[in-house]
Amino acid sequence: MIIDIHTHTFPDKIAELAVSKLSATGHIPYFSNGTASGLKASMENAGIDYSVVLPVATNPLKLESMNTFSIENNGKDNLVYFGAMHPDSPDWKEELERLSQNGIKGIKIHPVYQDVDIDDIRYIRILSRAAELGLVVLMHSGDDIGFPGAVRCSPKMTANALKQVGDMKIILAHMGGWKNWQEVAENLANTSAMLDTAFALGKITPLDNSFSDDFLNLLNEKEFLKLVKAFGVDRILFGTDSPWTDQKQSLELIKNLPLEDDERNKIIGENALKLLGKI
């Protein structure tokens, strides 16, 4: 069983525009066309059984329609849809309960895109209620390639939020803090947080010459395995951030790590299946 815990799609009618715009903003290429069918083709090429699709709400007014889309499409073509959540939504509590009642297993939050610090009370109340409902929260962590200099979810800020909320089912994307990796273990290893591997191992594929050679480097094998050891293999989940990386190539990076077979199997699928339950 291979599960990609971190992917993105867009409705067919806006997918081309969305991926083109985000690609230009981040100066990175896209590796599928951003549609559900494009993701499914990518999964088949990579040998991935299931993908979790993470909607990002940049406008609180669109939250209800986004979540309705997730509810209606959840489970189709081996795609597990999470709900969206926005800290400025007046209906955040009702939306969390609606998602839970309709079989959605988790939500995605993105402090950078939503321009709110993760330890702000608006997020704390969402995290607390999600924990009460047993929902998984997958959050963007660290810097964002499209918003240089925006600090909304550093490892220290995330640790402060989790200290207030307590133990919960939370996945910190990009190995706990994109481009903040030196701070991850010290601040977060003793929390309940899990990490996903999305866009964290290897090297960025640039669209142009916007980045320095040093910036293009993500975690190397030694650095990556150090984080795996700090958190324990049971808390690491395979993710790709598709369409921003190639699923097959991302999977190969994990498969080529010097891990025991049982450790590798946990990362690429077993941990996610245990967390999500029946899918």
Side-chain angles (χ1 to χ4, degrees):
M1 176 74 70
I2 301 177
I3 301 172
D4 185 343
I5 200 73
H6 189 144
T7 71
H8 304 282
T9 66
F10 305 90
D12 288 359
K13 62 182 180 181
I14 67 166
E16 182 178 0
L17 177 62
V19 294
S20 296
K21 183 178 180 180
L22 290 168
S23 174
T25 299
H27 301 279
I28 52 173
Y30 49 92
F31 294 85
S32 75
N33 64 9
T35 65
S37 60
L39 175 58
K40 185 61 179 178
S42 173
M43 291 164 58
E44 291 174 355
N45 181 56
I48 292 172
D49 298 293
Y50 293 89
S51 285
V52 175
V53 180
L54 306 173
V56 178
T58 57
N59 184 338
L61 299 178
K62 296 182 179 180
L63 192 64
E64 183 179 354
S65 62
M66 293 179 72
N67 286 335
T68 296
F69 183 88
S70 288
I71 291 167
E72 291 176 348
N73 289 278
N74 185 38
K76 293 181 180 178
D77 294 323
N78 287 20
L79 301 182
V80 179
Y81 282 79
F82 272 21
M85 189 51 54
H86 196 290
D88 290 326
S89 170
D91 302 319
W92 63 272
K93 186 178 290 186
E94 291 81 3
E95 280 300 294
L96 285 174
E97 291 171 359
R98 183 166 76 103
L99 291 167
S100 177
Q101 290 168 2
N102 283 277
I104 298 296
K105 296 179 180 293
I107 60 169
K108 169 67 186 285
I109 57 175
H110 200 309
V112 180
Y113 272 55
Q114 295 168 341
D115 200 26
V116 176
D117 294 347
I118 186 58
D119 50 1
D120 186 286
I121 184 58
R122 287 170 286 177
Y123 274 129
I124 299 300
R125 64 190 184 183
I126 288 170
L127 295 176
S128 296
R129 185 57 181 148
E132 291 172 354
L133 293 169
L135 291 170
V136 178
V137 175
L138 197 152
M139 62 168 277
H140 174 87
S141 303
D143 297 346
D144 188 280
I145 199 167
F147 292 82
V151 181
R152 292 298 194 183
C153 43
S154 70
K156 288 182 180 179
M157 295 165 73
T158 304
N160 184 42
L162 294 178
K163 183 178 180 180
Q164 297 177 66
V165 176
D167 290 349
M168 63 176 299
K169 298 175 183 177
I170 189 164
I171 304 167
L172 308 182
H174 315 300
M175 290 302 283
W178 196 76
K179 291 290 182 176
N180 293 185
W181 292 302
Q182 70 280 3
E183 303 172 14
V184 170
E186 177 184 357
N187 288 282
L188 295 165
N190 290 327
T191 70
S192 60
M194 304 179 78
L195 311 182
D196 83 29
T197 67
F199 209 72
L201 180 62
K203 194 169 184 175
I204 298 170
T205 301
L207 190 62
D208 50 37
N209 296 320
S210 297
F211 306 123
S212 67
D213 289 342
D214 182 62
F215 185 83
L216 295 176
N217 293 320
L218 301 175
L219 291 168
N220 61 36
E221 182 180 288
K222 182 178 179 181
E223 294 165 336
F224 183 89
L225 291 174
K226 186 176 180 180
L227 281 174
V228 172
K229 183 177 181 180
F231 282 78
V233 72
D234 292 333
R235 293 166 64 190
I236 310 297
L237 303 164
F238 170 62
T240 66
D241 212 1
S242 176
W244 310 117
T245 68
D246 178 80
Q247 284 188 303
K248 185 174 183 179
Q249 188 176 62
S250 295
L251 183 58
E252 287 302 313
L253 286 173
I254 301 298
K255 285 184 173 181
N256 289 334
L257 291 170
L259 296 165
E260 298 295 331
D261 288 345
D262 63 326
E263 294 175 325
R264 188 176 297 103
N265 289 337
K266 286 182 178 181
I267 291 173
I268 65 175
E270 290 177 4
N271 290 340
L273 186 61
K274 182 177 180 180
L275 179 68
L276 296 173
K278 185 179 179 181
I279 54 178

